[in-house]
Amino acid sequence: MRVLPVVLASSALLAACATSTVPGPGGAPMVDSGNDCAVIAAVAREHYRFNTTDSLPPPLWLDGEGSGWAPRCDWGRYGLRFPEVHDPARTPASSQPLRWVQFKQPRYDGQGARIDSAIMHGPLAGNGIQCRVRSGYAGWTVSDCRITWVN
């Protein structure tokens, strides 16, 4: 009989860690794994070095590629601060510099996650990367990144 309380407590704990559904754009359900923000933050801190005062990030662009993916992240929790969020539907004015850092939705597998990202420093200056991010005792950490395109 002592096993039953342990099983019930374990089930409750697993349910708390499971994927949650929150309302997305237009009230449609949006799945938030709870890890997306941590994976993005790991790349922002470790690859782009945005957690330092001498490397402030450009506007953030979270690209769900029309899927409705739009995580709501508390960037301060990860030691990050983005000055603004880029609206990909709005074309920048000609006097406004074309600057942003983009993160696509992470894809999870048995080794952790892969995430595509890109950064634009100006109209003809930027590059794309794909990073492998792994979960461990210290949270999510970047194990490697490779360049996918250069502009």
Side-chain angles (χ1 to χ4, degrees):
M1 280 304 193
R2 293 182 188 175
V3 174
L4 185 58
V6 172
V7 171
L8 290 175
S10 297
S11 297
L13 183 60
L14 286 173
C17 295
T19 302
S20 61
T21 303
V22 296
M30 175 182 73
V31 176
D32 179 11
S33 73
N35 290 318
D36 292 354
C37 297
V39 168
I40 292 167
V43 175
R45 282 190 327 264
E46 297 173 35
H47 178 77
Y48 293 117
R49 307 271 185 231
F50 289 155
N51 59 330
T52 61
T53 56
D54 57 330
S55 182
L56 296 175
L60 175 64
W61 175 9
L62 297 175
D63 185 5
E65 299 179 305
S67 69
W69 174 75
R72 294 170 187 91
C73 304
D74 176 8
W75 298 118
R77 171 181 176 195
Y78 302 103
L80 297 167
R81 183 179 60 87
F82 291 96
E84 63 181 284
V85 177
H86 175 74
D87 180 1
R90 183 181 63 82
T91 305
S94 60
S95 62
Q96 187 177 17
L98 180 65
R99 295 184 62 237
W100 43 258
V101 61
Q102 173 195 65
F103 293 96
K104 295 191 183 253
Q105 185 173 13
R107 298 175 311 281
Y108 298 92
D109 58 28
Q111 298 179 23
R114 284 218 180 267
I115 184 169
D116 293 318
S117 179
I119 190 166
M120 288 299 291
H121 302 285
L124 297 174
N127 69 293
I129 60 166
Q130 183 178 80
C131 294
R132 163 64 67 187
V133 185
R134 300 182 193 278
S135 179
Y137 291 113
W140 289 91
T141 57
V142 176
S143 63
D144 64 89
C145 294
R146 65 178 180 85
I147 295 175
T148 57
W149 60 267
V150 176
N151 190 9

